[in-house]
Amino acid sequence: MSERSGQELYERIPAKIYDDAQAAVVQVAGEIAAAIRERQASGGKFVLGLATGSTPVPLYRELIRIHREEGLSFANVISFNLDEYFPIDDRHPESYHRFMREQLFDHIDMPDEQINIPKGDVPREEVFDACKEYEDAIVAAGGIDIQILGIGRTGHIGFNEPGSGPKSRTRLVTLDRLTRLDAARDFHGEHNVPRYAVTMGVGTIMDAKKVYLLAWGRSKAEVIRAAVEDDPVENLPASFLQAHENVSFILDTASGSELTRNKYPWLVGFPDWTPELARESVTHLSLKLGKPLLKLVDKDYQENGLSELVTEQGPAYGLNIRVFNEVQHTITGWPGGKPDADDTYRPERAVPAQKRVLVLSPEPQDDVLAMAGTLSRLVAHGHDVTVAYLTSGSLGVPDEEARWAADLMLEAGGGEIAIDVLRELDEKGDFDEDTADLRQFKSYIRRNEARASLERCGLEKERIRFLDLPFYEEGRYRRFVTGERDVVAVKELLQSVQPHQVYVTGEAADPSSVQAKSFSVFEQAISELADEAWLSDCYVWLYRSDGSEWEIHQIEMSVPCSPDEVKTKAQAIYQHRSQRSQVPAINETQSEAWEQAVARNRETSSLYDRLGLAEYEAIECFVRWTVSK
Ligand code: F6R
């Protein structure tokens, strides 16, 4: 028997990692197209299992492209979708019936009678029979040839939430709280998300001849690692796929980033010990052993798979000091640079002492969630700070908030507009989208929250810009498409400010998210401005606002917050009233945005403390971006 490679020792499911989702779907769509054509040649039907959600959207776009440009016909394809909310009307904007029509079926030549999706609108007492019929129909079609899956943050496949058994079949299930929270924005509030769903079972999925599970973005990275590397458990239904004989996980760099081969490459082979990898492994060792950096000894390295590193770059003490200094130098109370100071080892340059700073926030609130403390310092240190909100954030305002504001206006004699808004809210049907006027009104709510929030950070109203990028105004959550007009608006902003520093977020985020879309627009704008002189003297700092945080070895600038600054930060986030949970948490451990943000910053400071550096109240952190990152 040949010796198994280090990677195979950890990974129990074949996983392919592509540069990005687009590269991955080109490959998968090509394989699907080839399989459909092969079946056509022999005159047979091809049975395709389909998923919904944001993950397969680029795959469906690619299949549509192949249909249009390369003549792929779906006339011999029978499809079975994984799931549907329950109860839900087919016409509901979030129903999977409607989703599939809009994202795929309306654009290809698959006959309607060959489309199968679990029904979300049958009477409750008929659901059991409907599920049985669904299973029978799959068998009658000859079984699923290729099944496409996404994965939820709970580890669900289909809507098989934690607790689903490996042999479960198509049935009615209760949705997990996290799944409902993830869908809350699409449904304009958690309370509108259906509590149940009808889903193929894990056993039904396991019967498919070939399974592709797709995952993009770092929010899926941990659940992907657990599904691929840990023992299969009911708590993580995707892990049951380990027993499937023909399954592939198709990942982008971000969703594959937690796999041992990427996260701890020294455990699976002989890596190139770059300074960054050395920093990563040494900080990891220190935290794992609970020993400050400067107390690590050769034996600690040798016993933890790092003999090679310590032989090459040791002895331990020298290596410890080097990494200690590198981490130490990331800390600065001067995010805009310290005037008149030697900046050789500082994250930011001293000159010019007063910088033009541009903070880009995809939606109102991203900015303060990640960097209210840093923002306050930049303002206090006299820099020329501009905050620009790329999108209006209007889709994130629940109707209740709009009604509250319109009622208030009416009572204060606000007249026409308030009356119009209230009428629109009254007339709005269950399946209706907000009209342009209502969206506009909601965007004013967010503008005012943003102004109140930034006031806490000391920023004057005149320093705030609202770009209302068209991709957001014309789209809906998870289905945004960016274009030239977005790029032009961001380019104009950059040109008018000509910043020395830009703060931006969205790199490696879920590609369908507002953050990721905003980042891609920014990236495009920067690349088109490459020849501008000011750009050669501009540092771009990345922050994170999506609930994740940079890892300690990645951080290039850490800005400590005093206890008072932490209070200011919480107050700044608190001003985003429409983003507070609409359902108060009683007897639940759910926490609000400001609590989560502060907890994350405290966790970062605790990591510095555990490594043996100074102990701060909280730390906000950033990574410097260069085009290649
Ligand atoms: C959808 C489905 C779900 C999703 C999962 C990920 O039919 O069954 O398992 O695949 O919730 O959703 P997205 O892709 O929106 O992150």
Side-chain angles (χ1 to χ4, degrees):
M1 209 174 80
S2 69
E3 206 182 309
R4 302 210 307 154
S5 77
Q7 184 177 318
E8 284 169 343
L9 281 175
Y10 287 91
E11 296 180 17
R12 304 161 180 207
I13 291 180
K16 284 194 196 142
I17 302 180
Y18 294 84
D19 283 349
D20 54 31
Q22 185 54 30
V25 299
V26 166
Q27 180 67 28
V28 176
E31 288 174 27
I32 294 174
I36 293 175
R37 286 199 172 109
E38 197 183 310
R39 192 64 56 82
Q40 263 156 12
S42 62
K45 296 270 191 226
F46 189 85
V47 185
L48 191 55
L50 297 172
T52 52
S54 47
T55 306
V57 170
L59 175 71
Y60 297 155
R61 285 201 192 123
E62 179 61 13
L63 286 172
I64 294 166
R65 190 199 63 76
I66 300 179
H67 166 70
R68 286 194 184 139
E69 294 175 15
E70 296 170 22
L72 174 70
S73 169
F74 288 79
N76 73 323
V77 175
I78 303 179
S79 74
F80 287 91
N81 260 82
L82 282 167
D83 43 20
E84 176 59 286
Y85 289 108
F86 185 91
I88 200 161
D89 188 288
D90 280 8
R91 292 161 301 162
H92 192 289
E94 291 304 321
S95 91
Y96 287 168
H97 282 76
R98 182 153 163 193
F99 176 97
M100 286 309 299
R101 280 197 303 274
E102 290 174 359
Q103 299 298 324
L104 183 65
F105 299 142
D106 283 352
H107 314 282
I108 56 175
D109 62 340
M110 201 159 113
D112 280 354
E113 59 281 9
Q114 287 167 211
I115 294 171
N116 299 279
I117 304 177
K119 293 195 174 64
D121 58 358
V122 295
R124 177 87 186 232
E125 58 281 10
E126 290 171 25
V127 175
F128 183 83
D129 286 341
C131 292
K132 172 92 182 52
E133 280 165 26
Y134 203 68
E135 289 274 332
D136 292 345
I138 296 175
V139 174
I144 293 172
D145 290 301
I146 290 184
Q147 175 67 53
I148 302 300
L149 297 177
I151 184 168
R153 286 197 297 152
T154 58
H156 71 213
I157 45 176
F159 273 137
N160 294 284
E161 297 289 15
S164 303
K167 299 202 168 132
S168 50
R169 312 301 307 186
T170 304
R171 68 205 186 288
L172 186 68
V173 292
T174 306
L175 294 177
D176 195 277
R177 173 87 203 284
L178 188 56
T179 302
R180 295 186 65 230
L181 278 177
D182 280 348
R185 287 201 138 184
D186 310 333
F187 281 88
H188 302 289
E190 187 192 342
H191 52 292
N192 295 324
V193 183
R195 295 190 172 273
Y196 308 98
V198 176
T199 180
M200 281 188 198
V202 179
T204 323
I205 294 168
M206 292 297 282
D207 288 346
K209 288 161 207 155
K210 165 90 200 162
V211 175
Y212 288 106
L213 183 145
L214 319 181
W216 326 127
R218 71 175 162 261
S219 65
K220 302 284 173 70
E222 177 47 30
V223 82
I224 286 290
R225 188 210 57 75
V228 171
E229 298 189 356
D230 289 349
D231 286 340
V233 278
E234 285 194 355
N235 239 345
L236 206 154
S239 63
F240 290 130
L241 292 168
Q242 291 175 16
H244 197 285
E245 287 185 349
N246 195 2
V247 56
S248 297
F249 276 24
I250 306 291
L251 312 175
D252 65 357
T253 330
S255 66
S257 61
E258 288 288 321
L259 292 176
T260 302
R261 67 166 125 153
N262 292 324
K263 181 128 187 179
Y264 309 120
W266 58 90
L267 295 179
V268 301
F270 301 99
D272 179 14
W273 284 107
T274 59
E276 198 189 33
L277 190 60
R279 185 159 71 242
E280 176 178 2
S281 61
V282 178
T283 48
H284 172 70
L285 182 67
S286 159
L287 294 170
K288 179 178 162 201
L289 301 182
K291 263 186 170 187
L293 285 169
L294 297 177
K295 289 192 180 173
L296 294 171
V297 293
D298 289 85
K299 196 157 159 281
D300 296 326
Y301 283 89
Q302 279 143 10
E303 288 176 354
N304 288 280
L306 292 169
S307 321
E308 206 202 31
L309 172 67
V310 79
T311 311
E312 226 178 73
Q313 302 189 12
Y317 198 65
L319 185 55
N320 297 344
I321 290 189
R322 197 186 85 203
V323 172
F324 179 92
N325 284 336
E326 282 172 15
V327 179
Q328 174 73 41
H329 292 149
T330 63
I331 304 173
T332 180
W334 299 83
K338 188 170 183 182
D340 302 323
D342 174 5
D343 57 9
T344 320
Y345 296 112
R346 290 179 175 276
E348 254 299 348
R349 57 227 192 276
V351 181
Q354 196 199 21
K355 295 190 171 60
R356 288 187 299 274
V357 178
L358 178 61
V359 177
L360 297 178
S361 185
E363 287 179 80
Q365 190 178 248
D366 286 300
D367 51 345
V368 283
L369 282 176
M371 54 176 293
T374 305
L375 239 163
S376 310
R377 283 206 180 194
L378 288 164
V379 175
H381 290 170
H383 297 290
D384 201 355
V385 180
T386 302
V387 176
Y389 295 101
L390 297 179
T391 73
S392 70
S394 60
L395 290 167
V397 179
D399 287 350
E400 295 85 329
E401 284 295 312
R403 189 179 289 282
W404 184 90
D407 275 337
L408 182 71
M409 270 178 75
L410 193 65
E411 186 152 15
E416 288 287 295
I417 295 180
I419 293 169
D420 285 352
V421 167
L422 289 169
R423 191 181 47 242
E424 283 193 34
L425 287 168
D426 285 340
E427 288 171 1
K428 195 174 150 189
D430 282 350
F431 312 137
D432 292 345
E433 305 283 326
D434 289 355
T435 60
D437 285 347
L438 186 51
R439 278 185 75 160
Q440 181 80 68
F441 187 73
K442 287 183 170 182
S443 78
Y444 295 149
I445 293 180
R446 296 213 71 179
R447 285 186 180 200
N448 276 290
E449 292 169 348
R451 289 191 192 104
S453 173
L454 288 178
E455 201 184 320
R456 306 283 157 153
C457 303
L459 197 75
E460 287 165 12
K461 285 193 185 86
E462 297 68 42
R463 311 295 321 174
I464 310 174
R465 309 251 192 120
F466 298 96
L467 260 58
D468 294 347
L469 288 185
F471 86 81
Y472 185 94
E473 294 310 306
E474 292 159 15
R476 48 185 290 119
Y477 277 114
R478 306 203 212 203
R479 295 172 219 173
F480 298 113
V481 181
T482 58
E484 189 50 28
R485 285 180 300 148
D486 303 303
V487 177
V488 168
V490 173
K491 261 166 60 178
E492 280 172 8
L493 171 74
L494 287 163
Q495 282 288 47
S496 72
V497 178
Q498 308 212 345
H500 298 102
Q501 273 197 330
V502 178
Y503 290 84
V504 62
T505 191
E507 168 268 3
D510 170 352
S512 66
S513 64
V514 179
Q515 284 90 355
K517 295 287 180 202
S518 300
F519 188 77
S520 72
V521 170
F522 166 74
E523 214 176 358
Q524 183 63 31
I526 285 281
S527 76
E528 292 181 20
L529 293 172
D531 295 334
E532 294 295 320
W534 60 265
L535 198 55
S536 58
D537 188 28
C538 174
Y539 278 20
V540 177
W541 291 102
L542 300 173
Y543 66 87
R544 285 199 172 163
S545 60
D546 63 351
S548 69
E549 194 51 279
W550 298 105
E551 293 193 46
I552 196 88
H553 66 276
Q554 299 175 307
I555 298 172
E556 288 172 277
M557 177 159 74
S558 285
V559 183
C561 301
S562 68
D564 279 345
E565 284 169 325
V566 169
K567 277 189 205 150
T568 305
K569 172 165 186 158
Q571 285 169 9
I573 300 170
Y574 191 76
Q575 303 310 312
H576 289 276
R577 184 195 140 98
S578 68
Q579 302 306 293
R580 295 183 209 157
S581 169
Q582 297 294 306
V583 190
I586 300 173
N587 301 333
E588 276 189 55
T589 49
Q590 175 203 345
S591 56
E592 294 281 351
W594 62 89
E595 296 169 302
Q596 290 169 19
V598 167
R600 253 189 320 277
N601 298 153
R602 290 207 166 112
E603 174 57 21
T604 306
S605 75
S606 141
L607 289 175
Y608 275 80
D609 179 31
R610 275 141 62 197
L611 291 171
L613 291 112
E615 185 182 355
Y616 293 98
E617 176 68 15
I619 287 181
E620 293 177 341
C621 50
F622 306 88
V623 166
R624 212 180 135 195
W625 181 75
T626 47
V627 180
S628 58
K629 247 181 200 157

